[in-house]
Amino acid sequence: ERDYIQALKWIATYRTGIKDIVFCENSGFDLSSFGYLENIFLRNKKVLETYNVPMPDSSLFSGKGWGEGIIIKWALRHIRTLAQSRYFAKLTGRYRILNLRVINNIIQKSISEYPDIKFICQSFTINAKPHINTEFFWSDCEFYIDHLCDSYQEVNDNSGIYLEHVMAQKLIELNENYRIGVIQIPLISNSLVGCSALPFMTGSEIMKQKFKQMITRTPTVKLLDSFSP
C-alpha cells in the first residue's frame, strides 16, 4: 500500500504531461484510504480515479502477467475515461518513473512523426525468446482491444511463459501490418522491485542516466521493422 501511495503522490506533483490517472487493482484491497489522494491530484490540476477490478477465479490464475492482463482488459471495457480515450499508457503502479516526462515527450514527438503508430514499448529484445518491458507501454486503445487484450490468456508462469514473451511475439506478428515503436532510453526509477525489495536502479545508475538524458537530444522511437537484436 505504501509504495502505491508514494508513487501516486509523486505523479500528482511531478510534471509529467499526463493529466488523467486511472489506478486499478484486483486483490480486493479497500481503496477508501486512497480517497485523500484525489484532492492532491485536483490541487495540481490532474484527475485520479481508483477502481477495484473484480477478482478473477483463483483456480484460473496462472501468473502475475495474467492478473495484469485481466486488469487492463476490464479497465478498457468498463472505465469511461479510457473508453473515451484514443490512447492509454500502462505503468506498473508502485514505480516512480523519474523520467516519465521525457518518455511522454518522446511518445508525443513520435505520434507527430508517425501518425499511424499503434504501440510503443520500452525495450524490445529479439532473440530465440523475444520479450518486451511491460512495466511501461503506450498503445492505441482500439489496437490493443482488437489485438492484445486477450494475450494474458497464454501466460503461464510455471511454464516460463510470461506476459513479456506473449506480447513480444504478438507484436512481431502484428508488425507486418501495423507500426510499432521502441523507446531508445531506459526508464529511470528509484523504486523497489516487487517482493524482492531490490532497487530498480542504483543511485549511481540513476545519476548516470539522468545526466546522459539531460545532454542528449530527445529521440523519437525506433520502429520495430528497423530494430535489430
Side-chain angles (χ1 to χ4, degrees):
E1 176 187 358
R2 183 185 63 181
D3 291 342
Y4 292 116
I5 288 177
Q6 289 179 345
L8 287 171
K9 282 183 177 178
W10 174 83
I11 204 169
T13 55
Y14 188 74
R15 295 175 60 192
T16 63
I18 299 173
K19 301 290 185 183
D20 298 317
I21 311 297
V22 174
F23 178 85
C24 297
E25 71 85 42
N26 65 351
S27 69
F29 177 77
D30 183 2
L31 291 175
S32 59
S33 61
F34 283 52
Y36 75 98
L37 293 171
E38 295 178 9
N39 291 327
I40 297 177
F41 273 77
L42 287 174
R43 288 199 299 269
N44 288 277
K45 299 181 180 179
K46 298 179 183 178
V47 176
L48 170 67
E49 300 177 34
T50 59
Y51 295 90
N52 283 111
V53 178
M55 295 176 66
D57 183 342
S58 60
S59 66
L60 299 175
F61 187 83
S62 58
K64 176 176 171 289
W66 188 89
E68 289 183 1
I70 281 188
I71 291 177
I72 297 172
K73 182 176 182 177
W74 184 91
L76 290 172
R77 288 185 172 182
H78 295 91
I79 298 175
R80 180 178 297 181
T81 299
L82 293 173
Q84 295 176 342
S85 300
R86 183 178 176 185
Y87 312 115
F88 78 97
K90 179 266 182 184
L91 172 64
T92 297
R94 68 174 70 243
Y95 293 151
R96 296 183 298 276
I97 304 301
L98 305 182
N99 60 336
L100 188 55
R101 185 179 182 184
V102 175
I103 298 293
N104 186 46
N105 287 341
I106 290 172
I107 291 172
Q108 297 307 316
K109 185 177 179 180
S110 300
I111 293 172
S112 297
E113 185 168 341
Y114 308 110
D116 61 341
I117 198 163
K118 297 299 183 183
F119 189 93
I120 298 174
C121 57
Q122 196 282 314
S123 87
F124 201 120
T125 301
I126 300 178
N127 52 26
K129 199 171 185 178
H131 64 274
I132 67 170
N133 182 326
T134 59
E135 291 153 350
F136 176 90
F137 61 78
W138 169 98
S139 181
D140 175 281
C141 289
E142 185 175 349
F143 173 81
Y144 191 92
I145 291 170
D146 289 345
H147 301 289
L148 297 171
C149 217
D150 292 321
S151 298
Y152 73 93
Q153 295 180 4
E154 299 178 31
V155 171
N156 189 318
D157 283 10
N158 290 333
S159 300
I161 304 172
Y162 303 113
L163 186 63
E164 293 87 343
H165 302 136
V166 175
M167 289 187 67
Q169 188 57 51
K170 288 189 178 296
L171 289 169
I172 289 173
E173 296 167 3
L174 290 164
N175 187 56
E176 295 182 8
N177 298 304
Y178 299 96
R179 202 182 290 272
I180 312 296
V182 182
I183 295 172
Q184 300 181 70
I185 62 173
L187 302 177
I188 300 176
S189 177
N190 59 0
S191 301
L192 301 179
V193 178
C195 298
S196 70
L198 295 173
F200 188 96
M201 276 183 152
T202 64
S204 60
E205 288 173 330
I206 290 173
M207 292 180 64
K208 179 180 178 180
Q209 283 299 328
K210 277 187 172 182
F211 179 75
K212 184 177 180 179
Q213 293 180 23
M214 181 177 65
I215 64 173
T216 304
R217 182 180 178 184
T218 302
T220 55
V221 295
K222 188 171 185 178
L223 297 180
L224 184 56
D225 53 16
S226 64
F227 193 78
S228 57

